[in-house]
């Protein structure tokens, strides 16, 4: 039921390499979230945006991760220097507002070798 | 610490039977959402509740409107396609991030 598009579906990187993934939110949804889901099914919030502005982000995101949601372009999440512990499913979600239902994309599964 | 405690963590049902999943929150939550994740990782939105109950086909969800400390998801007449991992996620305040439970893996067998 989701119209959130995430690419690529799978991403394989070596340690120290950059890893970049993209997300096109559902049309008309100004709010975008990025979550990391590890192999133990634990979700970690990374960052969220309203339009192009960052609303919240965690420390990890501030240091090794960069993210943006430019106008008229896909949102992106980039890991500057991948580590083995970054291997996870990265989920993007969009919402019509800050306190409304989230719709997730299919995720990008990152494997860092 | 974990704000969302989800139970059970795994559940096996036969087709046609009913069951329920539950999430307890360690603090008052503003809203709750329920998702089902399939084997490929896709998270499908099932319900969003700020209070009360909602029903969609064989699924029904409730969010405790008084204390706002728990939510349930009822599955009626389970079908094979209901198999998957169910997550609840709750939001504490305006604009805050969702806190997820650790999931309940449901397996429906013939």
């Amino acid at each position: 039921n989701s119209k959130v598009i995430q690419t690529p579906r799978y991403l394989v990187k070596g340690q120290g390499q950059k890893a970049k993934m993209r997300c096109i939110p559902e049309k008309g949804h100004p709010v975008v979230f990025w979550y990391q889901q590890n192999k133990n099914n634990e979700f970690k919030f990374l960052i969220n945006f309203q339009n192009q502005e960052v609303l919240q982000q965690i420390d990890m995101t501030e240091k090794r991760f960069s993210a943006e949601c430019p106008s008229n372009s896909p949102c992106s999440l980039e890991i500057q220097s991948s580590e083995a512990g970054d291997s996870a499913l990265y989920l993007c979600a969009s919402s019509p507002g800050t306190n409304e239902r989230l719709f997730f994309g299919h995720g990008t599964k990152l494997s860092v070798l | 610490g974990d704000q969302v405690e989800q139970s059970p963590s795994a559940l096996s049902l036969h087709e046609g039977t009913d069951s329920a999943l539950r999430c307890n929150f360690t603090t008052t939550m503003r809203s709750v959402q329920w998702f089902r994740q399939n084997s490929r990782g896709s998270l499908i939105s099932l319900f969003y509740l700020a209070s009360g109950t909602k029903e969609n086909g064989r699924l029904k969800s409730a969010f405790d409107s008084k204390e706002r400390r728990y939510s349930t998801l009822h599955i009626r007449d389970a079908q094979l396609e209901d198999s998957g991992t169910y997550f609840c996620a709750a939001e504490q305040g305006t604009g805050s991030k969702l806190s997820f439970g650790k999931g309940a893996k449901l397996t429906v067998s013939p």
Side-chain angles (χ1 to χ4, degrees), chain A residues 1-2 9-10 33 35 37 40-43 45 48 55-56 58 89 91 98-107, chain B residues 30-31 33 35 37 40-48 85 87 91 93-103:
Chain A
N1 62 351
S2 173
R9 192 71 182 259
Y10 301 96
F33 284 78
Y35 280 87
Q37 184 186 18
N40 295 321
N41 276 343
E42 294 163 336
F43 285 77
F45 165 82
N48 62 346
L55 294 178
Q56 292 176 287
I58 62 170
L89 181 67
L91 290 157
T98 53
N99 300 116
E100 300 192 42
R101 191 171 183 172
L102 282 192
F103 294 91
F104 281 85
H106 294 298
Chain B
R30 199 196 70 83
S31 65
Q33 299 185 50
F35 302 90
Q37 190 169 41
R40 299 187 70 192
S42 297
L43 264 177
I44 298 165
S45 174
L46 300 175
F47 293 103
Y48 171 90
T85 302
F87 291 92
E91 183 180 37
T94 303
S96 64
K97 57 183 173 65
L98 286 179
S99 295
F100 281 79
K102 292 189 176 177

Side-chain angles (χ1 to χ4, degrees), chain B residues 34-98:
Chain B
W34 285 90
F35 302 90
R36 181 175 63 236
Q37 190 169 41
N38 64 22
S39 57
R40 299 187 70 192
S42 297
L43 264 177
I44 298 165
S45 174
L46 300 175
F47 293 103
Y48 171 90
L49 297 103
S51 66
T53 63
K54 285 188 179 178
E55 194 164 354
N56 184 5
R58 295 177 292 99
L59 300 180
K60 181 177 179 179
S61 183
F63 181 30
D64 160 43
S65 301
K66 287 185 179 179
E67 302 291 327
R68 312 183 75 81
R69 298 286 290 262
Y70 72 89
S71 176
T72 56
L73 177 68
H74 294 261
I75 303 168
R76 176 176 54 81
D77 183 26
Q79 300 297 305
L80 297 178
E81 61 263 29
D82 295 332
S83 295
T85 302
Y86 289 76
F87 291 92
C88 66
E91 183 180 37
Q92 192 173 349
T94 303
S96 64
K97 57 183 173 65
L98 286 179

Side-chain angles (χ1 to χ4, degrees), chain A residues 3-63:
Chain A
K3 299 179 180 69
V4 177
I5 300 171
Q6 284 190 252
T7 55
R9 192 71 182 259
Y10 301 96
L11 192 56
V12 180
K13 293 291 178 181
Q15 293 194 51
Q17 289 186 318
K18 286 187 181 182
K20 188 168 186 174
M21 54 205 87
R22 292 176 175 81
C23 171
I24 300 175
E26 191 166 330
K27 191 173 182 179
H29 287 191
V31 178
V32 172
F33 284 78
W34 284 98
Y35 280 87
Q36 178 198 66
Q37 184 186 18
N38 66 20
K39 61 181 181 181
N40 295 321
N41 276 343
E42 294 163 336
F43 285 77
K44 179 185 286 184
F45 165 82
L46 296 177
I47 191 168
N48 62 346
F49 293 84
Q50 183 160 10
N51 297 311
Q52 293 80 53
E53 301 298 318
V54 174
L55 294 178
Q56 292 176 287
Q57 62 181 323
I58 62 170
D59 284 349
M60 178 177 78
T61 312
E62 289 174 3
K63 290 173 183 171

Side-chain angles (χ1 to χ4, degrees), chain A residues 68-95:
Chain A
E68 60 176 2
C69 273
S71 60
N72 302 316
S73 293
C75 297
S76 65
L77 177 69
E78 185 171 34
I79 306 173
Q80 302 303 318
S81 178
S82 302
E83 300 175 356
D86 297 330
S87 296
L89 181 67
Y90 289 82
L91 290 157
C92 174
S94 73
S95 176

